[in-house]
């Protein structure tokens, strides 16, 4: 591959992930007077802190207890909707702050939006960590942010606020997490299929290899969609996500072989990823396009119209 082609590929990748998506688009971050000012890379920690002022994890917040009626917050999908809800909850700037209820995906979305607003490439990654990075605890699905700085992609822990880090030692640098501590979806699939990780480790509190592999496939498909600029809610269903019942792996061999091939891709290799990106975009079932199934707060599924052309950059 010539130098010109490699340079072009890297420039395209930077453009793909520095351009806001429908869910991350928000320009007026300066209204919150972030400590990083006009240079977010000078202080990424303050971007995490701001996100955690705006949103608290609905189920697992160390500092806020959410009332049941606040469950409606979980239906918010975009940064603009989250910010609007925050202002509804906090009409008086001098009053104690009431955060919006959300999940790790929403915290990651807010941080990613701040990077992209300043033209810094950033993307959500869906995968697994040990709860609170404690290897004595079970693996759980999680969403982090990758951002490009100092010539490489760094992993950022969106829940790693200064307040939490003072409260509990997670043993990580939240703005540059050791890649060994976060297993993204494709890497988890690749390691299971190559028998270097056990599928049952990913099935929750009741070890079950079939359930574990099914769940890793689901998180991998979320991660691939995010790499193509669709930041899914964790209950979205579309395409390949609808081809089997929960916990039951599909037996369509070409699909499994395609997942194996994609999971083996070095996503830090710009040229290899560019080819994979085009493959995902061209397959009608990898990415949402049209009516998808979503789960609102109470668990009764409904539909949402999503257009691939609104988020994919070809």
């Amino acid at each position: 591959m010539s130098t010109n082609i490699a340079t072009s590929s890297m420039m395209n990748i930077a453009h793909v992930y520095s351009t806001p998506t429908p869910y991350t688009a928000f320009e007026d971050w300066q209204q919150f007077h972030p400590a990083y000012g006009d240079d977010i890379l000078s202080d990424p920690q303050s971007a995490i802190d701001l996100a955690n002022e705006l949103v608290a994890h609905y189920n697992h917040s160390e500092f806020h207890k959410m009332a049941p009626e606040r469950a409606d917050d979980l239906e918010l999908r975009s940064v603009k909707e989250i910010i609007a809800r925050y202002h509804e909850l906090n009409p008086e700037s001098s009053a104690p702050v009431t955060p919006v209820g959300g999940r790790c995906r929403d915290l990651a979305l807010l941080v990613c939006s701040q990077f992209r607003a300043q033209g810094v490439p950033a993307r959500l990654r869906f995968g697994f960590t040990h709860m609170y990075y404690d290897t004595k605890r079970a693996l759980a699905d999680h969403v982090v942010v990758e951002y490009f700085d100092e010539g490489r992609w760094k992993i950022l822990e969106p829940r790693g606020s200064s307040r939490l880090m003072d409260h509990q030692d997670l043993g990580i640098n939240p703005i540059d997490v050791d890649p060994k501590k976060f297993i993204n979806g494709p890497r988890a699939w690749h390691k299971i299929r190559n028998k270097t990780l056990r599928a049952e480790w990913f099935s929750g509190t009741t070890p079950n290899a079939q359930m574990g592999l099914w769940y890793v496939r689901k998180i991998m498909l979320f991660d691939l969609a995010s790499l193509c600029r669709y930041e899914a809610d964790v209950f979205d269903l579309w395409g390949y996500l609808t081809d089997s019942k929960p916990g039951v792996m599909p037996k369509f061999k070409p699909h499994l072989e395609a997942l194996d091939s994609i999971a083996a891709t070095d996503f830090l290799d710009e040229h290899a990823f560019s080819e994979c990106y085009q493959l995902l975009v061209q397959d009608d079932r990898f990415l949402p396009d049209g009516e998808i199934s979503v789960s609102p707060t109470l668990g009764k599924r409904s539909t949402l119209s999503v257009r691939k052309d609104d988020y994919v950059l070809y």
Side-chain angles (χ1 to χ4, degrees), residues 13-24:
I13 293 296
H15 175 64
V16 165
Y17 295 119
S18 60
T19 302
T21 61
Y23 289 160
T24 61

Side-chain angles (χ1 to χ4, degrees), residues 37-81:
D38 295 327
D39 183 9
I40 191 171
L41 291 177
S42 69
D43 187 9
Q45 181 63 53
S46 62
I48 302 175
D49 293 345
L50 175 53
N52 282 268
E53 289 178 15
L54 299 172
V55 166
H57 200 290
Y58 183 78
N59 297 317
H60 303 294
S61 174
E62 293 76 17
F63 309 110
H64 301 279
K65 184 174 177 60
M66 295 288 172
E69 60 267 22
R70 294 286 308 285
D72 287 346
D73 291 358
L74 300 179
E75 296 187 24
L76 305 173
R77 301 179 71 90
S78 71
V79 169
K80 289 179 180 177
E81 291 174 327

Side-chain angles (χ1 to χ4, degrees), residues 152-225:
R152 64 185 177 92
W153 289 100
K154 296 180 179 180
I155 297 174
L156 177 148
E157 170 50 61
R159 294 193 66 193
S161 67
S162 298
R163 186 181 183 187
L164 177 61
M165 299 302 290
D166 290 340
H167 173 76
Q168 181 173 354
D169 181 12
L170 301 183
I172 61 167
N173 176 359
I175 64 171
D176 193 5
V177 177
D178 183 344
K180 295 178 182 178
K181 293 181 178 291
F182 175 75
I183 310 172
N184 62 53
R187 187 155 67 97
W189 176 271
H190 183 69
K191 285 182 173 293
I192 290 172
R193 297 281 282 180
N194 285 276
K195 304 186 184 306
T196 56
L197 286 177
R198 295 172 62 176
E200 56 263 36
W201 292 348
F202 297 86
S203 63
T205 56
T206 304
N208 182 299
Q210 172 101 329
M211 174 63 78
L213 188 60
W214 174 86
Y215 199 64
V216 167
R217 172 178 173 265
K218 174 182 175 180
I219 297 301
M220 175 179 174
L221 290 169
F222 282 162
D223 193 52
L224 295 177

